[in-house]
Amino acid sequence: MLHSAFEARSLYTAVSLSAPQHSHRIVVMGVAGSGKSVIGSWLADALGRPFHDGDDFHPPGNVEKMSRGEPLDDHDRAGWLARLVNLLKTAQADEAPIVVACSALKDKYRQQLSADDPPLFLFLDISDMLAKERLKARSDHFMPSSLVQSQFDSLERPTEAVSVRNDREITVVQQEVLIRVTEALQNS
């Protein structure tokens, strides 16, 4: 089991010695409560990359709408996605590897985020019941548990992503994420 970012970096280094040395962007995706921020920030630390939480890119109007228990629609998400596309394009142009947490619920959103050079998508898969439980346990986030069903209603499960179940012990999930992401980067 991995217990620290140091152990994760050591595993990443051991597994990736033969990996091509190029910049790559990783988008950690899934519904609210899937663990995007927790796993994404941990993965970024383990790989020695900066982490950007997509929630920080929402305009105030989106945050207010979700806080009221109203789901976002495609129009609401347009500006938010544009900001994230810009972040990913800048990282690509600068050859800067980054990890970004973003729900990326629909295929068309993932297409937008992919632009000319698709990032690696890491899909954290959980049940609606677990997502609701996790959101109910959070007191410092704008997304209420009442919106979980709308997230699942919008979700188009990715076919071109590394998919990991995030309903297990965190260290088990971290180890699987690191191994599978490293393998995917080697094969890209």
Side-chain angles (χ1 to χ4, degrees):
M1 296 295 165
L2 301 175
H3 296 288
S4 71
F6 175 76
E7 290 173 312
R9 267 192 224 99
S10 298
L11 176 62
Y12 173 70
T13 300
V15 174
S16 67
L17 285 176
S18 62
Q21 297 303 309
H22 61 82
S23 165
H24 211 308
R25 293 145 299 117
I26 300 169
V27 175
V28 182
M29 60 161 295
V31 298
S34 63
K36 297 181 298 291
S37 298
V38 170
I39 295 296
S41 62
W42 175 86
L43 180 62
D45 189 46
L47 300 179
R49 299 175 178 208
F51 173 72
H52 301 273
D53 194 325
D55 285 347
D56 298 336
F57 290 78
H58 274 296
N62 283 6
V63 174
E64 291 167 11
K65 187 172 183 178
M66 288 183 282
S67 295
R68 292 191 305 264
E70 299 172 33
L72 300 180
D73 58 25
D74 289 349
H75 176 75
D76 296 323
R77 290 185 179 108
W80 171 68
L81 283 168
R83 288 181 187 92
L84 292 172
V85 166
N86 186 51
L87 172 69
L88 290 166
K89 282 184 175 182
T90 300
Q92 178 184 358
D94 294 345
E95 297 183 2
I98 62 172
V99 177
V100 177
C102 170
S103 56
L105 297 174
K106 295 183 179 183
D107 183 59
K108 67 181 178 180
Y109 302 160
R110 293 187 292 277
Q111 292 299 321
Q112 283 179 266
L113 294 167
S114 293
D116 299 327
D117 183 24
L120 173 66
F121 286 98
L122 168 62
F123 174 51
L124 298 177
D125 196 7
I126 63 170
S127 70
D128 58 343
M129 240 170 51
L130 182 56
K132 286 177 189 171
E133 285 175 25
R134 287 180 178 175
L135 289 183
K136 284 179 183 175
R138 293 198 300 204
S139 59
D140 60 346
H141 198 272
F142 55 81
M143 180 72 132
S145 62
S146 62
L147 288 180
V148 166
Q149 189 56 53
S150 71
Q151 294 261 298
F152 279 92
D153 291 345
S154 294
L155 178 63
E156 296 170 0
R157 292 182 172 278
T159 56
E160 302 291 325
V162 172
S163 183
V164 174
R165 283 185 20 250
N166 193 13
D167 59 356
R168 300 166 288 163
E169 287 293 321
I170 187 79
T171 55
V172 172
V173 173
Q174 289 171 332
Q175 188 165 13
E176 181 179 350
V177 162
L178 190 62
I179 290 169
R180 297 209 37 223
V181 163
T182 300
E183 289 171 351
L185 291 174
Q186 286 177 333
N187 296 324
S188 63

